[in-house]
Amino acid sequence: MSSALETLRRDFGGDIIEPGGAEYESARRSVLASGSPALVLRPGSVGDVQAGVRFAASAGPLLSVRGGGHGFAGFGTNDGGVVIDLSRLASVEIIDTEPHLVRIGGGATWGQVTAALAPHRLAISAGDTKSVGVGGLTLTGGIGWKVRKYGLALDNVTAAEVITANGQVVHASAEENPELFWAVRGGGGNFGIVTAFEFAAHPTTDVFHGKIAFPASQAATVLQGWADYLRAAPEELTSVADFANPAAGGPEAPVEIYVAFDGDDPELAAQAIDPIRRLGTVTGDDIALKPYADTLADGATPPPGIQFVIRNAFVDKESVSEVVQILAEVRASEGSPFIAVRSVGGAVSRVPDDATAYAHRQAELMFVTTIAGPKPVIGAARPALAAIWERLAPHVNGAYANFLASATEEDAAAIYPTQTYQRLAAVKRQYDPGNLFARNHNIRPH
Ligand SMILES: Cc1cc2nc3c(=O)[nH]c(=O)nc-3n(C[C@H](O)[C@H](O)[C@H](O)COP(=O)(O)OP(=O)(O)OC[C@H]3O[C@@H](n4cnc5c(N)ncnc54)[C@H](O)[C@@H]3O)c2cc1C
């Protein structure tokens, strides 16, 4: 490693953070995972990323790529390997006005993006949290407050600049390297480091956003009505139902229906949101008109030692009723996980299935179960969680990579149906035959 390290020190203009160094303690962890990497590299330019990739390829097999550092499976750090932390590559630049093209550094966060675009009254369909990275969220999906109107974050990507395993800069778009362009829109970090994304942004007004709360006892009817309504609701309306929140009483916790109406006309907003208000006894309603940038929450780093077990699945139309019924029953049981159900459909479903490597376009809902706590709490909760998922299994399908705390072969198979996986593996063979980029829901080249 030493001559490779010498070359790195010569070619790399960014930060090289080693154990014992002043910044190492904070640099070794990602938001949700701790690690003890041998080196953390923080490139300041595309050339630095190239040098970092060449170094990692020669140094050994363990490489983590860190965008915003929010990955649940802890891909953003490791023990004993190299971390390439992209946080210095966070520029946001409007490069064209018709259409509104925005070039975003591969280490930017969505908070940086929304803040930079807000003065121009522009937005990009993203997630719900400012501190989450553009890189991780976009490369496997991006389900946020504008998803039903403008699709996934990855549906708005028009080009990507990728540093592949041999350290080359490769441009991917519909015109250049289209198969790589297909793969990076859903296939995660498997094909290289994206140093810049180009997105098509859209003009945005202020939006109506907030939550409507209903008593836990009305969960079953509220959730069924909500899921039925969303099927035909205007696509300006995107919604998430949260319930069984252990911090708010577990089985007694209210059902909280979050909504974002993409528009500032109060009458149209009321027409879209009132059917939800009529689903039960409203115990809280804080929906207000606000700048789109303010719909994203700040995000927080949990204390060390808190683990997350996060699982999810998609629900197609014919299973919605059954799944919602099961989730409403699960919610009432002692030890229920926290459950969040997100509406998808809309613009997501209109993109042809084979246009990108994101494979679950026909789902109406995606739900996530979360258990969080210290190791013994997690251990005690696992059997009940396994039983819940066994009950759900016949009615649900697939998995959304961004809300998974595990990375087993079964997870990869759930994210990528066979045909998608095989097509991704062919792209992997071309751009990363040695599987340098393996700390992800991995596509094996062979
Ligand atoms: C509080 C919170 C809120 C969330 N809200 C949403 C939400 O509303 N909608 C949603 O869809 N998801 C959401 N997520 C999930 C989120 O999309 C994933 O956790 C995602 O992986 C985070 O990306 P990151 O860049 O911050 O994480 P990282 O841990 O840095 O990245 C995860 C992996 O992505 C790859 N990667 C990241 N950047 C690059 C790059 N530039 N080039 C190549 N590979 C890269 C690497 O393999 C990396 O290991 C949320 C997560 C959290 C913790």
Side-chain angles (χ1 to χ4, degrees), residues 41 43 49 65-67 84-90 106-108 193-194:
L41 303 178
V49 176
V65 176
R66 187 185 301 162
I84 298 184
D85 173 345
L86 302 170
S87 55
R88 285 180 57 181
L89 302 181
I193 296 184
V194 177

Side-chain angles (χ1 to χ4, degrees), residues 65 67-71 75 86 106 128-129 133 135-136 143 192 194 342 400 402-403:
V65 176
H70 280 64
F75 298 140
L86 302 170
D128 62 13
T129 302
I143 300 175
V194 177
R342 291 187 179 227
Y400 177 50
N402 276 335
F403 284 115

Side-chain angles (χ1 to χ4, degrees), residues 52-76:
V53 166
R54 290 197 180 108
F55 170 76
S58 68
L62 197 50
L63 169 64
S64 291
V65 176
R66 187 185 301 162
H70 280 64
F72 286 104
F75 298 140

Side-chain angles (χ1 to χ4, degrees), residues 37-352:
L39 270 188
V40 178
L41 303 178
R42 209 171 269 156
S45 68
V46 171
D48 289 346
V49 176
Q50 293 179 277
V53 166
R54 290 197 180 108
F55 170 76
S58 68
L62 197 50
L63 169 64
S64 291
V65 176
R66 187 185 301 162
H70 280 64
F72 286 104
F75 298 140
T77 190
N78 62 53
D79 292 324
V82 175
V83 172
I84 298 184
D85 173 345
L86 302 170
S87 55
R88 285 180 57 181
L89 302 181
S91 60
V92 182
E93 193 191 343
I94 297 173
I95 55 173
D96 209 342
T97 48
E98 201 49 60
H100 298 284
L101 294 182
V102 184
R103 186 178 163 90
I104 300 176
T109 63
W110 283 109
Q112 290 167 324
V113 174
T114 49
L117 296 186
H120 305 276
R121 311 281 288 166
L122 292 175
I124 296 168
S125 181
D128 62 13
T129 302
K130 290 178 183 167
S131 52
V132 167
V134 172
L137 178 131
T138 303
L139 289 168
T140 49
I143 300 175
W145 290 126
K146 285 172 177 273
V147 70
R148 292 185 71 245
K149 171 94 171 145
Y150 292 101
L152 303 164
L154 60 75
D155 292 330
N156 298 280
V157 173
T158 52
E161 177 184 80
V162 187
I163 311 304
T164 53
N166 58 8
Q168 299 292 311
V169 181
V170 179
H171 293 101
S173 67
E175 290 78 35
E176 272 183 288
N177 302 302
E179 202 55 13
L180 179 62
F181 185 51
W182 172 83
V184 294
R185 290 174 299 153
N190 270 285
F191 310 97
I193 296 184
V194 177
T195 41
F197 294 88
E198 189 184 285
F199 282 90
H202 59 263
T204 191
T205 59
D206 287 356
V207 302
F208 284 89
H209 175 261
K211 68 173 186 292
I212 307 167
F214 299 93
S217 58
Q218 296 178 3
T221 47
V222 168
L223 292 168
Q224 289 289 359
W226 172 79
D228 287 345
Y229 172 61
L230 276 165
R231 192 166 296 134
E235 289 182 1
E236 283 71 21
L237 190 74
T238 289
S239 188
V240 178
D242 280 3
F243 45 101
N245 182 352
E252 304 306 322
V255 175
E256 295 181 327
I257 306 284
Y258 286 82
V259 299
F261 178 81
D262 196 48
D264 59 0
D265 182 321
E267 270 178 42
L268 291 179
Q271 271 170 32
I273 298 169
D274 281 352
I276 295 180
R277 294 187 168 109
R278 290 195 289 268
L279 291 171
T281 312
V282 173
T283 57
D285 183 340
D286 65 3
I287 293 168
L289 187 63
K290 56 183 83 163
Y292 166 69
D294 292 357
T295 65
L296 273 66
D298 285 332
T301 303
I306 299 297
Q307 299 183 352
F308 289 83
V309 178
I310 304 225
R311 282 185 70 170
N312 71 78
F314 291 95
V315 190
D316 290 343
K317 183 179 175 188
E318 59 276 14
S319 301
V320 162
S321 186
E322 185 75 34
V323 170
V324 166
Q325 175 68 28
I326 295 173
L327 292 177
E329 285 170 29
V330 161
R331 171 213 64 81
S333 63
E334 240 358 279
S336 164
F338 174 48
I339 301 170
V341 189
R342 291 187 179 227
S343 60
V344 271
V348 179
S349 308
R350 283 200 301 277
V351 175

